[in-house]
Amino acid sequence: MLEACDITLGYRRGESVLRGISLQLAAGEWLGLSGASGAGKSTLGQVLAGHLAPRRGSLRLDGAALPRRGLHPVQWLPQVPELAVNPRWRIDRVLNEAWSPSAAQRRRFGIGDAWLERYPHELSGGELQRVVVLRGLAPGVRYLIADEISSMLDAITQAALWQALREEAEARNLGVLVIGHDAALLQRLCQRRVRLERGQLLASS
Amino acid sequence: MLEIRQLALDFLRYRGLWRRETVTCLHNVSLTLARGELHAVVGASGAGKSLMAQALIGLLPGNTRRRGELWLDGEPLDAARQAALRGKRLALIPQSLAALDPLVRSHRQVAWAAQRGGAAAPWAAAERAMAQLGLVGDSARRYPHQLSGGMARRVLLAMATAGDAEWLIADEPSVGLDPQHRDGVLDQLRRLADTGKGVLLITHDLRHALRVADRVTVFHAGTTLETAPARAFHGRGEALASDYARALWRALPDNDFARPAAREAAQLA
C-alpha cells in the first residue's frame, strides 16, 4: 500500500497547488486521476514518485518511509518521452540504464531489435514512449505513475501500450496511478477514479 | 475545390559522402476538400500527415522531391501560386509552437497575420479572432514563453483565422489541450467550415475529430487508404473499406480497446 497523507505543496509563497491531499493506492490497483490542466495532477504524481518534496505531509510504503537512495519503488512515466531520455545515448543504453529487459519483454512492448542502434530522435514519439515505459519497470519497482503517457498516440498504438503494461502489472501486482484527460480511457483502465479540483481530491463517477 | 492527386514525396539523403539515395515517404496520396467542408486526416504519428500539409502550402524541406498534382479551383496549384496565396487565402496552423516569434507579444503577431491576410483594420481583426478563442485581456499582451501550451496553440489558430483565409490546414491543433479547450478549438474549426471555408484537420485523435468532421481520410504508412463519411465510423466499423481504418476505430477505449491480433498486425505493417 502506497499512502500519501496530508500532502501540501505550492510553487509560490502563499499559494498551494495541493492542499492537504491524502491518497491510498493498493498493490495491484489501478487508480484514475483527472482534472483540468493546471490543477496539479503532474505535481501530485511527481510527489508520489519522489521527484518533488512536499511542503507538508508524508509518504509511506507499507507503513515505512520511502528509501532515499537507490532504486525508487515508485516510478514516474512522463508525458513527453523526448524530455526523459539522454539525446546523445543510443536506445540500447537508454533502455538498459536501470535494468536489462529480456528480448521477450522488448517484444511484448513492441520494441524492434533494429531500434537499439538508433538515437532517440530517430524514433517516433509513440515508439520512444514504449522504450521509456519499459525502462521504468525494473525489478523492485512496485508502483507506477503514468502521467498522460498515451495522449499523443493514435488509438492502435495506445491500446497496444496499455495492454502490454496491463499484462506486466498483473504479473507483478503493480499499483498504477493513471493521470489523464480522457474519461473513456480512465474508465476502461481503472476500477476507482478521482478528480483533482482546487487542490483537493474528489471521488469521480 | 482543393485537390491532391496522386501526390508522392521522396527525401534525398546522402549515405557517406558520395552515395545519394532517395527515400519515399509519401506515395499515392489523394484527397479533395470542398468549401464548407471539415475534412479530417487521421493516422499514426510518422505516417506522413504533416508532410502532406507542408506540400499543400509549399513549405517542404529543401531535400524533398514532389511528384503528383495539386489543384485549386480547377487550376494547378504550383509553387508561384502557392507563394502568392500563402497566408492570404491559404493558411496553415502549424503543429510546432516554435512557429511563434518569441520576441513579439501575441496580439501583435496575430495583427501581423491579419495584415498579411488583407484585413482593413488588423489590430481590431486580431482582437476579434483572439476573443473568439477566449484569449482576452492579459493573455493577449503576453510573450509566447508566458503562455501555456494550450494558449499558444490558440494564438496560432487566431493567426490563421484573423486574415480571413478561405482554406485552412490545421496540423494537430488540439494536442495537449484539456477537454474544454480542445472542444473549443474543434468547435471553432467547425464554425469556420460552416461559414464556407474549407478546413483540413490533421490529427491522431480520431474520436474527437468525428464529432466535427464531415469526411475522414485515413492515412497509413505514407498513403491515403480510404476516405469515408464520419458516420461510417459506427458500430463495429462494417461500413469502412480498409482493415486499418476498422482496426483504428475498434482500438478506441470506448470501443474494443484492442490491438489487432499478431497476424492482422503483420498485414497492416
Side-chain angles (χ1 to χ4, degrees):
Chain A
M1 178 80 81
L2 178 66
E3 284 173 286
C5 189
D6 195 29
I7 300 289
T8 299
L9 176 66
Y11 293 102
R12 281 185 219 152
R13 194 181 291 272
E15 265 180 48
S16 293
V17 182
L18 307 176
R19 299 179 188 164
I21 284 190
S22 297
L23 175 80
Q24 295 185 330
L25 182 60
E29 185 187 10
W30 287 61
L31 174 65
L33 173 64
S34 62
S37 60
K41 303 186 294 294
S42 294
T43 301
L44 178 58
Q46 292 188 53
V47 168
L48 294 174
H51 289 231
L52 289 172
R55 196 186 287 160
R56 205 181 67 212
S58 64
L59 280 176
R60 304 188 90 72
L61 179 68
D62 296 334
L66 284 149
R68 294 184 148 273
R69 308 188 58 174
L71 181 79
H72 200 282
V74 185
Q75 285 292 317
W76 182 60
L77 307 174
Q79 179 179 9
V80 187
E82 288 85 349
L83 302 180
V85 298
N86 187 331
R88 291 169 175 273
W89 285 9
R90 289 181 196 273
I91 297 303
D92 194 24
R93 191 167 169 202
V94 169
L95 188 59
N96 291 298
E97 188 180 358
W99 70 298
S100 294
S102 68
Q105 277 165 320
R106 288 205 308 266
R107 253 196 313 283
R108 269 206 297 286
F109 277 81
I111 296 170
D113 291 339
W115 302 3
L116 298 177
E117 290 296 301
R118 298 194 204 160
Y119 286 98
H121 72 271
E122 294 174 325
L123 296 184
S124 78
E127 291 167 345
L128 193 58
Q129 187 63 282
R130 283 178 258 170
V131 172
V132 168
V133 169
L134 183 56
R135 178 183 66 172
L137 293 175
V141 171
R142 314 245 325 263
Y143 293 89
L144 293 172
I145 313 297
D147 193 354
E148 296 217 40
I149 59 171
S150 68
S151 60
M152 82 302 217
L153 306 180
D154 67 279
I156 292 177
T157 316
Q158 168 174 279
L161 178 68
W162 285 113
Q163 270 168 33
L165 195 54
R166 196 139 69 170
E167 283 164 23
E168 191 73 21
E170 266 169 27
R172 290 167 50 180
N173 207 24
L174 300 173
V176 185
L177 179 74
V178 184
I179 301 178
H181 284 311
D182 187 341
L185 179 69
L186 294 187
Q187 202 159 4
R188 195 83 194 194
L189 291 170
C190 306
Q191 305 99 330
R192 187 161 70 96
R193 294 177 295 279
V194 290
R195 229 185 117 68
L196 191 56
E197 228 175 88
R198 284 183 231 98
Q200 308 272 329
L201 278 187
L202 312 170
S204 122
S205 51
Chain B
M1 180 84 91
L2 184 62
E3 283 178 79
I4 304 175
R5 295 184 192 161
Q6 308 275 328
L7 178 72
L9 277 183
D10 300 318
F11 269 115
L12 298 177
R13 67 175 185 201
Y14 285 87
R15 203 174 182 87
L17 271 179
W18 312 111
R19 289 220 343 258
R20 199 171 75 167
E21 60 180 16
T22 59
V23 181
T24 302
C25 44
L26 291 185
H27 59 100
N28 223 340
V29 169
S30 300
L31 64 81
T32 61
L33 176 66
R35 285 192 166 77
E37 181 186 31
L38 198 161
H39 192 143
V41 177
V42 300
S45 70
K49 306 188 298 291
S50 295
L51 280 172
M52 183 191 70
Q54 289 167 8
L56 261 180
I57 201 151
L59 291 176
L60 284 167
N63 61 334
T64 47
R65 294 289 169 273
R66 204 193 87 194
R67 287 171 284 133
E69 294 170 32
L70 302 174
W71 290 74
L72 180 63
D73 292 334
E75 285 175 56
L77 182 61
D78 54 21
R81 198 155 166 238
Q82 280 173 328
L85 297 180
R86 195 157 56 218
K88 302 183 183 71
R89 289 177 55 203
L90 197 59
L92 174 72
I93 300 155
Q95 182 175 7
S96 171
L97 299 181
L100 289 169
D101 186 332
L103 300 177
V104 181
R105 293 181 197 275
S106 47
H107 194 155
R108 184 166 302 281
Q109 298 201 44
V110 181
W112 283 347
Q115 192 170 22
R116 277 194 299 272
W123 195 258
E127 196 161 353
R128 234 180 0 260
M130 294 177 84
Q132 273 178 342
L133 293 162
L135 295 166
V136 287
D138 181 46
S139 56
R141 284 190 296 275
R142 294 200 202 168
Y143 289 97
H145 75 270
Q146 297 172 312
L147 301 170
S148 76
M151 285 169 149
R153 219 157 266 294
R154 284 179 282 151
V155 170
L156 285 172
L157 182 57
M159 288 174 74
T161 53
D164 211 27
E166 289 171 75
W167 304 97
L168 288 167
I169 304 158
D171 193 356
E172 298 278 10
S174 62
V175 73
L177 301 186
D178 61 30
Q180 188 194 349
H181 287 119
R182 177 197 64 219
D183 289 345
V185 164
L186 294 179
D187 288 340
Q188 174 70 6
L189 291 175
R190 181 67 251 178
R191 275 196 294 277
L192 289 165
D194 289 339
T195 59
K197 298 175 194 305
V199 181
L200 198 64
L201 167 63
I202 296 175
T203 180
H204 68 272
D205 187 355
L206 172 63
R207 178 151 38 116
H208 297 106
L210 286 177
R211 193 173 58 80
V212 292
D214 299 302
R215 289 191 297 161
V216 177
T217 290
V218 177
F219 222 95
H220 180 58
T223 192
T224 44
L225 284 182
E226 75 170 290
T227 298
R231 63 173 182 279
F233 292 86
H234 179 78
R236 302 191 59 77
E238 296 89 347
L240 295 165
S242 66
D243 290 340
Y244 181 79
R246 213 170 298 122
L248 196 63
W249 166 242
R250 300 244 295 258
L252 290 178
D254 33 7
N255 293 335
D256 296 352
F257 197 43
R259 59 178 153 187
R263 187 169 45 84
E264 285 175 60
Q267 285 168 355
L268 296 175

